[in-house]
Amino acid sequence: MRVSIIGTGYVGLPAGAGLASKGHDVTCVDIDEDKVNAINQGDCPIFEDGLPELLEQVVSQGTLTATTDTTNAVKNTDITFLAVGTPMRDDGSINLDIIKQATRDAAEGLKEKDDYHVFVVKSTVVPTTTETEILPILEQESGKTAGADFGVCMNPEFLREGTALHDFLEPDRIVIGELDDRSGDTLEQVYNGFDAPDELHDSDGHRSSAFGDAPILRTSLRAAELIKYASNALLATKISFINEIGNICKELDIDVYEVADGVGLDHRIDRSFLDSGAGFGGSCFPKDVRALIHFAEEQGVEPALLRQTIDVNVKQKTKLVDQLTDRMDVQGKKIAVLGLAFKPGTDDIRKSPAINIIDALKTKGADVHAYDPAAEDNMRELHPDITYHDGFEDTLSDADAALLVTDWDEFNDITLEHIRTMNQPLLLEGRRMDHDLPDENTDGITWP
Ligand code: UGA
């Protein structure tokens, strides 16, 4: 099928390359001309595992091209995905300016088209947005009628940054919110032949008959919108829950990871997203939970649990600093911060606990030294006045204490020799690592 995708960020570009690799003819659209030029040369403008290789391949095969011209992209394709950002306003509500403008541009293409076309909202939007904000713009600007001249779907994404391409190609499920059958049937054709992930294979490695292709769930437009928020809110709540349990564990000298393993073996609970640590960050969980809180309030519903998910997380992010200042006055001390990205495998620092930790350390007068294998440039923009290093060895040398904030694999290579180069050999860990350091030199945020 001929597919256009508006927005070439962490969602649009992996989706575009993924669909091109499945045999679709893909046009990616972005207003950023530099990005479009880079893509057309096969250069990947974002940090995503496996994407540079696949992008180079599909661009050289001619199955993916990029353009700044939304109208033509829509005109010359059969289906359009809207995958632009929906940033958060100061009050926590979502800002629809970008998606509305993209929709207006797309409607221009629709106006000039005779054939049936389907619009798919992939951006994360609060329930009813597709029906009450996007669909009316499409009708007004194109002069056409939804359901007759064009179709509308809401197809939330469940892609994790860093592994977005893999998640796109092997989804747990595909949710198709649809205006009508014809819209949903058209979108379902795009996802023909998508497999569920390997974890869904049985213990002999065979795909069980229950898990052939990735399950497809057809829903109303507004249910699809809420499935996205409910999924992120539940995952975020699992993290805050295990962090609260972890804070109890810490008082009792219990290893929260033993507790999580024991709890997670119950198939009704599941072990995933029960890794306790310095809290969740990123561009999705904090923003989406806040947007859902705001939306619930607008509906007259008190989102008590969602508020606590955020509150627990806010405190968790700086708990390492509290634990450090319980042990020493950090004024004038060299404190090493290992890891700046909100999680390993990305250069993204949005809402990363490292930001709050550096803020708190600076307020207390510490001399902050930081290292991250990918995210240094991004953190420099926020915190230009701390010292950055090229490796953890340097960062640790002569430090009075070290805080481990992101679980990059390379931090498992920290040895006692490295710790001995510190002024005071103490590593406080905000993420659970797999190294052989002695207990007397390390302490976990929620484990002994
Ligand atoms: C998240 C969701 O996992 C995706 O399914 C969703 O599509 C995406 O948001 C989105 O809405 O676009 P992402 O933000 O990339 O993906 O990151 P995650 O891998 O989910 O991690 C989020 C944060 O939670 C990280 O700071 C991570 O360190 C933390 N985390 C995760 C924990 O503290 N404990 C865990 O057990 C898991």
Side-chain angles (χ1 to χ4, degrees):
M1 213 181 275
R2 295 175 310 161
V3 178
S4 45
I5 302 182
I6 306 178
T8 60
Y10 287 101
V11 175
L13 201 52
L19 289 176
S21 76
K22 294 278 183 185
H24 296 290
D25 186 2
V26 176
T27 308
C28 287
V29 186
D30 206 290
I31 48 170
D32 183 338
E33 212 168 322
D34 291 340
K35 243 178 157 186
V36 164
N37 291 337
I39 294 168
N40 280 330
Q41 278 160 24
D43 293 338
C44 185
I46 57 174
F47 197 102
E48 274 298 326
D49 190 34
L51 191 57
E53 299 79 5
L54 185 63
L55 191 68
E56 200 184 343
Q57 187 189 319
V58 292
V59 168
S60 68
Q61 284 166 355
T63 46
L64 185 146
T65 52
T67 176
T68 52
D69 185 347
T70 311
T71 310
N72 260 321
V74 172
K75 212 169 114 188
N76 297 317
T77 52
D78 310 304
I79 188 163
T80 300
F81 289 85
L82 286 165
V84 295
T86 48
M88 186 170 72
R89 290 208 170 88
D90 289 345
D91 65 358
S93 65
I94 81 168
N95 181 342
L96 294 176
D97 293 351
I98 304 173
I99 195 167
K100 282 183 177 171
Q101 186 54 50
T103 305
R104 277 192 284 274
D105 295 342
E108 285 298 316
L110 184 62
K111 196 176 176 178
E112 295 177 23
K113 235 192 123 168
D114 295 326
D115 303 336
Y116 180 76
H117 194 93
V118 174
F119 282 94
V120 184
V121 177
K122 220 175 201 341
S123 305
T124 299
V125 291
V126 295
T128 71
T129 304
T130 303
E131 289 157 74
T132 60
E133 307 271 358
I134 295 172
L135 189 152
I137 295 177
L138 289 169
E139 285 193 325
Q140 278 154 25
E141 305 285 323
S142 70
K144 300 202 168 184
T145 310
D149 305 319
F150 67 93
V152 180
C153 287
M154 201 285 149
N155 173 221
E157 55 84 14
F158 306 105
L159 313 179
R160 288 162 300 174
E161 234 179 274
T163 55
L165 179 63
H166 306 276
D167 292 345
F168 183 78
L169 292 172
E170 295 194 336
D172 285 350
R173 79 297 208 188
I174 294 164
V175 175
I176 296 182
E178 61 197 25
L179 175 70
D180 53 18
D181 286 349
R182 190 177 178 196
S183 309
D185 290 348
T186 309
L187 178 55
E188 198 167 328
Q189 282 175 41
V190 174
Y191 285 115
N192 207 349
F194 273 65
D195 287 338
D198 283 346
E199 300 91 77
L200 298 183
H201 287 242
D202 66 23
S203 51
D204 298 328
H206 299 122
R207 188 178 283 286
S208 99
S209 57
F211 300 115
D213 292 340
I216 292 186
L217 182 69
R218 306 262 297 247
T219 70
S220 65
L221 292 169
R222 55 180 73 183
E225 290 164 331
L226 190 52
I227 286 169
K228 165 68 189 199
Y229 279 98
S231 299
N232 272 4
L234 181 55
L235 292 171
T237 302
K238 279 185 93 172
I239 298 170
S240 279
F241 175 84
I242 200 64
N243 282 338
E244 191 157 286
I245 297 293
N247 294 336
I248 300 170
C249 288
K250 187 70 186 165
E251 295 303 315
L252 298 169
D253 228 17
I254 296 171
D255 184 345
V256 66
Y257 278 73
E258 287 182 359
V259 176
D261 289 346
V263 170
L265 278 171
D266 186 327
H267 73 277
R268 296 168 302 174
I269 297 173
D270 191 72
R271 173 64 179 81
S272 59
F273 278 72
L274 290 177
D275 288 339
S276 180
F280 57 80
S283 64
C284 304
F285 288 169
K287 170 175 82 89
D288 291 351
V289 179
R290 283 203 166 88
L292 189 54
I293 289 172
H294 193 271
F295 182 72
E297 285 169 341
E298 278 178 356
Q299 309 308 309
V301 175
E302 167 54 27
L305 181 59
L306 300 175
R307 280 192 214 287
Q308 288 307 313
T309 294
I310 293 289
D311 288 353
V312 168
N313 194 55
V314 166
K315 291 192 193 101
Q316 200 69 18
K317 280 179 162 184
T318 48
K319 197 162 280 287
L320 268 189
V321 179
D322 300 339
Q323 292 173 344
L324 177 63
T325 50
D326 281 350
R327 291 168 180 256
M328 65 170 73
D329 176 4
V330 296
Q331 168 78 37
K333 298 273 170 56
K334 173 177 174 180
I335 308 298
V337 175
L338 301 180
L340 302 170
F342 83 95
K343 66 174 185 180
T346 174
D347 61 353
D348 194 342
I349 59 158
R350 282 176 288 177
K351 302 284 177 203
S352 172
I355 297 173
N356 309 65
I357 286 173
I358 294 171
D359 271 337
L361 288 172
K362 275 164 68 173
T363 307
K364 291 178 191 305
D367 174 20
V368 182
H369 289 245
Y371 165 67
D372 189 284
E376 177 186 326
D377 289 349
N378 288 332
M379 191 60 90
R380 264 184 198 279
E381 287 178 22
L382 265 189
H383 284 295
D385 52 344
I386 62 170
T387 309
Y388 292 90
H389 294 267
D390 290 336
F392 64 76
E393 297 87 346
D394 248 20
T395 324
L396 289 174
S397 172
D398 293 330
D400 294 295
L403 308 182
L404 192 152
V405 188
T406 315
D407 39 345
W408 286 101
D409 263 355
E410 66 179 81
F411 296 150
N412 284 318
D413 299 337
I414 299 174
T415 63
L416 191 54
E417 305 313 308
H418 299 122
I419 298 290
R420 285 195 177 129
T421 65
M422 298 173 68
N423 252 345
Q424 299 184 51
L426 175 64
L427 178 66
L428 298 185
E429 295 173 302
R431 303 287 175 196
R432 178 68 151 225
M433 302 304 296
D434 191 22
H435 52 56
D436 294 325
L437 294 171
D439 288 348
E440 65 261 32
N441 298 115
T442 59
D443 199 6
I445 185 168
T446 48
W447 56 93

